[in-house]
Amino acid sequence: MSTSVNRWLIGPNPSEEPECSTPVPTRRDEGHGATAPQTGIPLPDRIDRLPRRDAAWPATIWWLGVHGGAGESTLAALTAGTRPCDHAWPIPSTTGTTHRVVLVARTNYAGLIKAQHAATEWAANTLGDGVQLAGLALIADAPGRRPKHLQHLEQVIAGGVPHVWNLPWVNAWRLGPPDATAPLPKEFRALFTDLSLAPTGAPTHN
């Protein structure tokens, strides 16, 4: 692997110091990363790849949680016409069909590494024309600021996907299922607007 070419594949050099700073701004303010698979990118080890499943059902967006508890089911419940992928690439059963996929991960170290593996798998151009990666939705794994070395890892990964959305911690969703009538944080609204999705009826607030 040429690290001079594929810098986004390089992991961070985490500091032992538990330093914290302000959250990384959303990528919708900073621009975009890679918009298509690239040549010369090796696949992750087999154990680090996501499974693939035939998907014949229509969906505006497929939410692909790259690990358990990522939040794909929550995002699907909040948006009409979308589906969770059950942690597997949704490969179209019908020739000529393209599925738009958003990777979903939590912002802890394990979640970000899983997101990096999935982004690398897409970038290696082995999924075919049936999968179009729209971006990566990162859902905060805890309230408050993130450690600096996690911010750095997030920035590395962001260079390898078309778009990154940072979504905040919602404490009410820790205590129970999402309430479709409750106000949606503005970051979720921005995600749904960018993807031309209709919320399932939740009002909005700033």
Side-chain angles (χ1 to χ4, degrees):
M1 176 177 67
S2 173
T3 55
S4 63
V5 175
N6 301 318
R7 291 181 56 84
W8 66 275
L9 295 175
I10 306 171
N13 183 15
S15 168
E16 298 295 330
E17 191 177 346
E19 183 179 356
C20 294
S21 59
T22 56
V24 178
T26 60
R27 296 294 297 186
R28 64 196 304 270
D29 296 326
E30 296 179 347
H32 302 267
T35 57
Q38 305 158 46
T39 58
I41 295 180
L43 275 168
D45 291 340
R46 185 173 297 276
I47 195 173
D48 294 322
R49 301 176 206 167
L50 292 170
R52 303 178 187 188
R53 294 194 177 98
D54 289 341
W57 309 279
T60 308
I61 286 288
W62 291 86
W63 305 107
L64 174 49
V66 298
H67 58 84
E72 62 175 48
S73 296
T74 296
L75 291 173
L78 291 172
T79 47
T82 70
R83 291 180 180 271
C85 294
D86 196 21
H87 313 298
W89 292 105
I91 306 301
S93 301
T94 305
T95 303
T97 300
T98 300
H99 288 165
R100 294 180 70 208
V101 174
V102 174
L103 303 176
V104 185
R106 293 288 178 171
T107 55
N108 54 27
Y109 180 79
L112 291 173
I113 289 297
K114 290 288 189 181
Q116 188 176 40
H117 289 156
T120 304
E121 189 174 355
W122 165 76
N125 201 22
T126 64
L127 296 169
D129 296 333
V131 172
Q132 177 190 14
L133 185 65
L136 167 64
L138 293 174
I139 303 179
D141 67 305
R145 298 175 176 178
R146 292 204 283 279
K148 189 173 182 179
H149 71 274
L150 293 183
Q151 294 182 41
H152 174 64
L153 176 55
E154 180 183 322
Q155 290 172 333
V156 170
I157 298 167
V161 293
H163 207 108
V164 172
W165 296 271
N166 272 279
L167 306 177
W169 172 268
V170 181
N171 195 59
W173 297 350
R174 183 185 185 194
L175 305 176
D179 181 359
T181 65
L184 280 174
K186 62 182 179 181
E187 294 87 352
F188 284 83
R189 287 160 36 205
L191 166 65
F192 301 156
T193 297
D194 287 348
L195 296 173
S196 301
L197 301 177
T200 53
T204 59
H205 69 71
N206 291 322

